[in-house]
Structures are given as structure tokens and as C-alpha cells.
Amino acid sequence: MTVELTRPVSHRFLGTETLLVLGLSLGQSAIYAMVSITAKLTAEGGLSRQTAALNTSASPRPWLDLTYQVLGIVFALVPVLLAVHLVNRDPGDAGRTLGLDARQPGRDLARGAGLAALIGLPGLVLFWVAAQLGINATVVPAALPELWWTVPVLILAAVQNAVLEEVIVVGYLMTRLRQLQWRVGAVIATSALLRGSYHLYQGFGAFVGNVVMGVVFSLFYLRTRRVMPLVVAHTLLDIVAFVGYSLLPREWFDWL
């Protein structure tokens, strides 16, 4: 006799699952970012005198540093694999459910490039305004030594950020909140505010800019049900920021 062990998934179960996934990934990052912005606000000189450095060196020994960088990128993607695994337990395929597949490569690339331009250019203006108002820390997009592996690692870091954020904060979170029967406005607001909150360590300008980006990306996802163009857009934005800062003269970025 075969015993049926499956049962309908309750809203309570889905809610707990969602909180656990966020607690292992960007929800955790949001909490740390809130602590970081509090520390910066209460430090001597205030927020504008503080620095938020991304992609920092982990060791003065180049090969050990490279090892740490690669391990950090790989393990940062584990929550993505978990989220995809959990969605795969639903009826259907996670790749198609989230739009995380290669069925439309040309269209995804074109849409992603368009979104990157739409977000990137106004984003630069917003960062400049935030810097003038003193509501952002000084952002250092890349602080790695000049070595043969620096640019490849920065590109991998950009891809990792894009995959982690777009799959978790847009694809997975919005799918689960809709299954929990949240209203569309609440789903968009939650996704966008979460995106802004884990960027708070950079300052309030970064928070606002990422909330706006979150709204745009959420609306796009609800319309297309594809997360891949968002991954493309986010990757392009981060590559420009990370690699550009690493290769171009530092005085070009004094406004950050």
C-alpha cells in the first residue's frame, strides 16, 4: 500500500518559508544595513564623512584574496539555489515560473539593456544630488588591488549581485506574496522597500534610488513574468560601476 505524504501547502507554511529564505539572504543584509546606517549617522562628522566600500580586499596575499573573493561569490548564490529549489516543489518548473531561463535570449538582452539605461542615467543624477545634500556616504564601488584577476572578479561580483537580488527580491518574493494573496500594491511596495533597505548602508540617496528601481523592476516583472531581463539590467549597471571605478581615473568619481 502506498501512503500519500503530500498535502496542500498552507499560507502559514509559505509565509514561514519566505521569512527563512529572506533571513538567509537579503533580509539579513537589510538588518545589517540598518545597523550600518545608524553607526554612520552617529559617527563623528555625520553621514557625509563616512565611507561605504564595496568589493573590498580580504587578504594582502593575492592568491588568498582571490580564493576569498571566489568563495564569497559562490556561497552568496546558495540562497538563490534554495529559492529555486523551493519554487520547483510547486506545480510547474521554477525556470518558467520565475522567467529564469534562456528561452528568449535576444529579447531578454534587449529589454535588460533598455532597463539599465532607464535606471542608470537618472540614478547617476540622484547620486550626485544626494552627495550635494550630504545624505549619502562616500561610495567606493571597488576597492580591490590592481591584479590580473581584479576585473574578472568584479564582473563575477556584478553577476552574483544581479542574480541574488533579482531572483530573491523580485522573482521569488513576489511569487510567494502573490500566492499568499497579498494585494498587488503591497507586493510591489514590499519588494521595493526591501531592495532599498539593504542599500541603506550607502545612505538615504541610495535607499531612495533603489526603491524607485525596485518599483520599476517589480512592475516590469508583473507585466512580463520574466526575471532574466532584470538580471541582465542589474549586471550591466554593476559592471559599469565596479569595473569603471576600478579602471578610470579616481578624480572622475570625486562626486560619489
Side-chain angles (χ1 to χ4, degrees), residues 62-84:
W63 284 100
L64 187 57
D65 195 4
L66 174 60
T67 301
Y68 279 127
Q69 300 297 332
V70 173
L71 288 176
I73 290 168
V74 170
F75 284 112
L77 292 174
V78 172
V80 175
L81 297 177
L82 175 61
V84 171

PDB file of all heavy atoms in Angstrom, residues 62-84:
ATOM      1  N   PRO A  62      47.696  37.972  -2.635  1.00  0.00           N
ATOM      2  CA  PRO A  62      46.820  37.965  -3.810  1.00  0.00           C
ATOM      3  C   PRO A  62      46.058  36.659  -4.038  1.00  0.00           C
ATOM      4  O   PRO A  62      44.847  36.692  -4.313  1.00  0.00           O
ATOM      5  CB  PRO A  62      47.783  38.262  -4.963  1.00  0.00           C
ATOM      6  CG  PRO A  62      48.879  39.056  -4.337  1.00  0.00           C
ATOM      7  CD  PRO A  62      49.048  38.470  -2.966  1.00  0.00           C
ATOM      8  N   TRP A  63      46.727  35.508  -3.978  1.00  0.00           N
ATOM      9  CA  TRP A  63      46.033  34.260  -4.261  1.00  0.00           C
ATOM     10  C   TRP A  63      45.020  33.903  -3.180  1.00  0.00           C
ATOM     11  O   TRP A  63      43.950  33.363  -3.467  1.00  0.00           O
ATOM     12  CB  TRP A  63      47.040  33.119  -4.437  1.00  0.00           C
ATOM     13  CG  TRP A  63      47.712  33.180  -5.769  1.00  0.00           C
ATOM     14  CD1 TRP A  63      48.968  33.673  -6.031  1.00  0.00           C
ATOM     15  CD2 TRP A  63      47.164  32.805  -7.023  1.00  0.00           C
ATOM     16  NE1 TRP A  63      49.229  33.622  -7.377  1.00  0.00           N
ATOM     17  CE2 TRP A  63      48.139  33.074  -8.018  1.00  0.00           C
ATOM     18  CE3 TRP A  63      45.949  32.250  -7.424  1.00  0.00           C
ATOM     19  CZ2 TRP A  63      47.938  32.816  -9.366  1.00  0.00           C
ATOM     20  CZ3 TRP A  63      45.752  31.987  -8.774  1.00  0.00           C
ATOM     21  CH2 TRP A  63      46.729  32.267  -9.725  1.00  0.00           C
ATOM     22  N   LEU A  64      45.344  34.259  -1.929  1.00  0.00           N
ATOM     23  CA  LEU A  64      44.392  34.029  -0.849  1.00  0.00           C
ATOM     24  C   LEU A  64      43.207  34.976  -0.989  1.00  0.00           C
ATOM     25  O   LEU A  64      42.047  34.588  -0.772  1.00  0.00           O
ATOM     26  CB  LEU A  64      45.073  34.219   0.501  1.00  0.00           C
ATOM     27  CG  LEU A  64      44.259  33.852   1.743  1.00  0.00           C
ATOM     28  CD1 LEU A  64      43.796  32.404   1.693  1.00  0.00           C
ATOM     29  CD2 LEU A  64      45.077  34.108   3.007  1.00  0.00           C
ATOM     30  N   ASP A  65      43.491  36.205  -1.382  1.00  0.00           N
ATOM     31  CA  ASP A  65      42.427  37.180  -1.625  1.00  0.00           C
ATOM     32  C   ASP A  65      41.498  36.684  -2.731  1.00  0.00           C
ATOM     33  O   ASP A  65      40.264  36.725  -2.600  1.00  0.00           O
ATOM     34  CB  ASP A  65      43.037  38.524  -2.012  1.00  0.00           C
ATOM     35  CG  ASP A  65      42.043  39.673  -1.928  1.00  0.00           C
ATOM     36  OD1 ASP A  65      40.892  39.446  -1.495  1.00  0.00           O
ATOM     37  OD2 ASP A  65      42.414  40.807  -2.285  1.00  0.00           O
ATOM     38  N   LEU A  66      42.072  36.185  -3.818  1.00  0.00           N
ATOM     39  CA  LEU A  66      41.269  35.648  -4.922  1.00  0.00           C
ATOM     40  C   LEU A  66      40.400  34.490  -4.440  1.00  0.00           C
ATOM     41  O   LEU A  66      39.216  34.394  -4.803  1.00  0.00           O
ATOM     42  CB  LEU A  66      42.174  35.183  -6.060  1.00  0.00           C
ATOM     43  CG  LEU A  66      41.488  34.465  -7.227  1.00  0.00           C
ATOM     44  CD1 LEU A  66      40.451  35.356  -7.892  1.00  0.00           C
ATOM     45  CD2 LEU A  66      42.533  33.992  -8.246  1.00  0.00           C
ATOM     46  N   THR A  67      40.970  33.627  -3.613  1.00  0.00           N
ATOM     47  CA  THR A  67      40.208  32.494  -3.079  1.00  0.00           C
ATOM     48  C   THR A  67      39.009  32.978  -2.279  1.00  0.00           C
ATOM     49  O   THR A  67      37.891  32.482  -2.443  1.00  0.00           O
ATOM     50  CB  THR A  67      41.101  31.612  -2.190  1.00  0.00           C
ATOM     51  OG1 THR A  67      42.210  31.139  -2.965  1.00  0.00           O
ATOM     52  CG2 THR A  67      40.326  30.423  -1.648  1.00  0.00           C
ATOM     53  N   TYR A  68      39.243  33.961  -1.409  1.00  0.00           N
ATOM     54  CA  TYR A  68      38.141  34.513  -0.609  1.00  0.00           C
ATOM     55  C   TYR A  68      37.073  35.151  -1.494  1.00  0.00           C
ATOM     56  O   TYR A  68      35.869  35.014  -1.237  1.00  0.00           O
ATOM     57  CB  TYR A  68      38.670  35.561   0.376  1.00  0.00           C
ATOM     58  CG  TYR A  68      39.277  34.996   1.635  1.00  0.00           C
ATOM     59  CD1 TYR A  68      40.560  35.365   2.039  1.00  0.00           C
ATOM     60  CD2 TYR A  68      38.565  34.111   2.444  1.00  0.00           C
ATOM     61  CE1 TYR A  68      41.128  34.858   3.203  1.00  0.00           C
ATOM     62  CE2 TYR A  68      39.116  33.607   3.607  1.00  0.00           C
ATOM     63  CZ  TYR A  68      40.401  33.986   3.983  1.00  0.00           C
ATOM     64  OH  TYR A  68      40.942  33.480   5.127  1.00  0.00           O
ATOM     65  N   GLN A  69      37.503  35.881  -2.528  1.00  0.00           N
ATOM     66  CA  GLN A  69      36.544  36.547  -3.416  1.00  0.00           C
ATOM     67  C   GLN A  69      35.653  35.530  -4.113  1.00  0.00           C
ATOM     68  O   GLN A  69      34.424  35.682  -4.174  1.00  0.00           O
ATOM     69  CB  GLN A  69      37.290  37.390  -4.462  1.00  0.00           C
ATOM     70  CG  GLN A  69      38.171  38.489  -3.913  1.00  0.00           C
ATOM     71  CD  GLN A  69      37.412  39.554  -3.141  1.00  0.00           C
ATOM     72  OE1 GLN A  69      36.236  39.810  -3.383  1.00  0.00           O
ATOM     73  NE2 GLN A  69      38.087  40.191  -2.197  1.00  0.00           N
ATOM     74  N   VAL A  70      36.272  34.474  -4.664  1.00  0.00           N
ATOM     75  CA  VAL A  70      35.501  33.460  -5.386  1.00  0.00           C
ATOM     76  C   VAL A  70      34.562  32.718  -4.442  1.00  0.00           C
ATOM     77  O   VAL A  70      33.382  32.472  -4.777  1.00  0.00           O
ATOM     78  CB  VAL A  70      36.446  32.473  -6.104  1.00  0.00           C
ATOM     79  CG1 VAL A  70      35.657  31.314  -6.716  1.00  0.00           C
ATOM     80  CG2 VAL A  70      37.238  33.198  -7.187  1.00  0.00           C
ATOM     81  N   LEU A  71      35.052  32.354  -3.253  1.00  0.00           N
ATOM     82  CA  LEU A  71      34.196  31.670  -2.282  1.00  0.00           C
ATOM     83  C   LEU A  71      33.019  32.551  -1.873  1.00  0.00           C
ATOM     84  O   LEU A  71      31.885  32.075  -1.734  1.00  0.00           O
ATOM     85  CB  LEU A  71      35.007  31.272  -1.049  1.00  0.00           C
ATOM     86  CG  LEU A  71      36.004  30.121  -1.236  1.00  0.00           C
ATOM     87  CD1 LEU A  71      36.803  29.919   0.049  1.00  0.00           C
ATOM     88  CD2 LEU A  71      35.295  28.832  -1.625  1.00  0.00           C
ATOM     89  N   GLY A  72      33.278  33.835  -1.680  1.00  0.00           N
ATOM     90  CA  GLY A  72      32.197  34.747  -1.314  1.00  0.00           C
ATOM     91  C   GLY A  72      31.122  34.821  -2.374  1.00  0.00           C
ATOM     92  O   GLY A  72      29.922  34.847  -2.065  1.00  0.00           O
ATOM     93  N   ILE A  73      31.538  34.842  -3.637  1.00  0.00           N
ATOM     94  CA  ILE A  73      30.581  34.890  -4.740  1.00  0.00           C
ATOM     95  C   ILE A  73      29.769  33.600  -4.812  1.00  0.00           C
ATOM     96  O   ILE A  73      28.545  33.616  -4.953  1.00  0.00           O
ATOM     97  CB  ILE A  73      31.323  35.147  -6.064  1.00  0.00           C
ATOM     98  CG1 ILE A  73      31.870  36.578  -6.092  1.00  0.00           C
ATOM     99  CG2 ILE A  73      30.408  34.905  -7.266  1.00  0.00           C
ATOM    100  CD1 ILE A  73      32.852  36.846  -7.213  1.00  0.00           C
ATOM    101  N   VAL A  74      30.456  32.469  -4.692  1.00  0.00           N
ATOM    102  CA  VAL A  74      29.777  31.171  -4.797  1.00  0.00           C
ATOM    103  C   VAL A  74      28.763  30.987  -3.678  1.00  0.00           C
ATOM    104  O   VAL A  74      27.591  30.649  -3.916  1.00  0.00           O
ATOM    105  CB  VAL A  74      30.806  30.022  -4.775  1.00  0.00           C
ATOM    106  CG1 VAL A  74      30.095  28.678  -4.634  1.00  0.00           C
ATOM    107  CG2 VAL A  74      31.648  30.036  -6.045  1.00  0.00           C
ATOM    108  N   PHE A  75      29.174  31.230  -2.438  1.00  0.00           N
ATOM    109  CA  PHE A  75      28.266  30.984  -1.315  1.00  0.00           C
ATOM    110  C   PHE A  75      27.142  32.011  -1.231  1.00  0.00           C
ATOM    111  O   PHE A  75      26.080  31.720  -0.677  1.00  0.00           O
ATOM    112  CB  PHE A  75      29.048  30.920   0.000  1.00  0.00           C
ATOM    113  CG  PHE A  75      29.793  29.627   0.174  1.00  0.00           C
ATOM    114  CD1 PHE A  75      31.175  29.594   0.139  1.00  0.00           C
ATOM    115  CD2 PHE A  75      29.107  28.435   0.345  1.00  0.00           C
ATOM    116  CE1 PHE A  75      31.858  28.398   0.285  1.00  0.00           C
ATOM    117  CE2 PHE A  75      29.782  27.235   0.495  1.00  0.00           C
ATOM    118  CZ  PHE A  75      31.164  27.214   0.460  1.00  0.00           C
ATOM    119  N   ALA A  76      27.346  33.196  -1.798  1.00  0.00           N
ATOM    120  CA  ALA A  76      26.267  34.187  -1.834  1.00  0.00           C
ATOM    121  C   ALA A  76      25.115  33.732  -2.721  1.00  0.00           C
ATOM    122  O   ALA A  76      23.979  34.214  -2.575  1.00  0.00           O
ATOM    123  CB  ALA A  76      26.800  35.529  -2.323  1.00  0.00           C
ATOM    124  N   LEU A  77      25.397  32.800  -3.640  1.00  0.00           N
ATOM    125  CA  LEU A  77      24.360  32.317  -4.552  1.00  0.00           C
ATOM    126  C   LEU A  77      23.591  31.118  -4.004  1.00  0.00           C
ATOM    127  O   LEU A  77      22.606  30.690  -4.616  1.00  0.00           O
ATOM    128  CB  LEU A  77      24.982  31.957  -5.906  1.00  0.00           C
ATOM    129  CG  LEU A  77      25.518  33.145  -6.712  1.00  0.00           C
ATOM    130  CD1 LEU A  77      26.236  32.655  -7.957  1.00  0.00           C
ATOM    131  CD2 LEU A  77      24.390  34.100  -7.097  1.00  0.00           C
ATOM    132  N   VAL A  78      24.006  30.581  -2.868  1.00  0.00           N
ATOM    133  CA  VAL A  78      23.305  29.425  -2.295  1.00  0.00           C
ATOM    134  C   VAL A  78      21.833  29.743  -1.983  1.00  0.00           C
ATOM    135  O   VAL A  78      20.954  28.923  -2.279  1.00  0.00           O
ATOM    136  CB  VAL A  78      24.041  28.905  -1.047  1.00  0.00           C
ATOM    137  CG1 VAL A  78      23.215  27.840  -0.326  1.00  0.00           C
ATOM    138  CG2 VAL A  78      25.395  28.325  -1.442  1.00  0.00           C
ATOM    139  N   PRO A  79      21.500  30.917  -1.399  1.00  0.00           N
ATOM    140  CA  PRO A  79      20.081  31.223  -1.183  1.00  0.00           C
ATOM    141  C   PRO A  79      19.266  31.242  -2.477  1.00  0.00           C
ATOM    142  O   PRO A  79      18.070  30.937  -2.458  1.00  0.00           O
ATOM    143  CB  PRO A  79      20.112  32.607  -0.523  1.00  0.00           C
ATOM    144  CG  PRO A  79      21.443  32.677   0.144  1.00  0.00           C
ATOM    145  CD  PRO A  79      22.367  31.951  -0.784  1.00  0.00           C
ATOM    146  N   VAL A  80      19.898  31.610  -3.591  1.00  0.00           N
ATOM    147  CA  VAL A  80      19.201  31.580  -4.881  1.00  0.00           C
ATOM    148  C   VAL A  80      18.851  30.141  -5.250  1.00  0.00           C
ATOM    149  O   VAL A  80      17.720  29.846  -5.673  1.00  0.00           O
ATOM    150  CB  VAL A  80      20.067  32.218  -5.988  1.00  0.00           C
ATOM    151  CG1 VAL A  80      19.386  32.078  -7.341  1.00  0.00           C
ATOM    152  CG2 VAL A  80      20.339  33.679  -5.678  1.00  0.00           C
ATOM    153  N   LEU A  81      19.814  29.251  -5.083  1.00  0.00           N
ATOM    154  CA  LEU A  81      19.556  27.834  -5.371  1.00  0.00           C
ATOM    155  C   LEU A  81      18.461  27.292  -4.461  1.00  0.00           C
ATOM    156  O   LEU A  81      17.622  26.497  -4.890  1.00  0.00           O
ATOM    157  CB  LEU A  81      20.842  27.025  -5.192  1.00  0.00           C
ATOM    158  CG  LEU A  81      21.993  27.391  -6.134  1.00  0.00           C
ATOM    159  CD1 LEU A  81      23.228  26.554  -5.805  1.00  0.00           C
ATOM    160  CD2 LEU A  81      21.593  27.193  -7.584  1.00  0.00           C
ATOM    161  N   LEU A  82      18.465  27.726  -3.204  1.00  0.00           N
ATOM    162  CA  LEU A  82      17.417  27.302  -2.272  1.00  0.00           C
ATOM    163  C   LEU A  82      16.055  27.800  -2.733  1.00  0.00           C
ATOM    164  O   LEU A  82      15.069  27.038  -2.742  1.00  0.00           O
ATOM    165  CB  LEU A  82      17.724  27.833  -0.868  1.00  0.00           C
ATOM    166  CG  LEU A  82      16.648  27.580   0.200  1.00  0.00           C
ATOM    167  CD1 LEU A  82      16.406  26.091   0.402  1.00  0.00           C
ATOM    168  CD2 LEU A  82      17.027  28.262   1.512  1.00  0.00           C
ATOM    169  N   ALA A  83      15.970  29.080  -3.113  1.00  0.00           N
ATOM    170  CA  ALA A  83      14.699  29.642  -3.560  1.00  0.00           C
ATOM    171  C   ALA A  83      14.179  28.923  -4.799  1.00  0.00           C
ATOM    172  O   ALA A  83      12.990  28.591  -4.889  1.00  0.00           O
ATOM    173  CB  ALA A  83      14.862  31.140  -3.840  1.00  0.00           C
ATOM    174  N   VAL A  84      15.071  28.667  -5.757  1.00  0.00           N
ATOM    175  CA  VAL A  84      14.669  27.946  -6.973  1.00  0.00           C
ATOM    176  C   VAL A  84      14.221  26.534  -6.628  1.00  0.00           C
ATOM    177  O   VAL A  84      13.227  26.028  -7.158  1.00  0.00           O
ATOM    178  CB  VAL A  84      15.830  27.930  -7.987  1.00  0.00           C
ATOM    179  CG1 VAL A  84      15.515  27.001  -9.156  1.00  0.00           C
ATOM    180  CG2 VAL A  84      16.104  29.337  -8.501  1.00  0.00           C
TER     181      VAL A  84
END
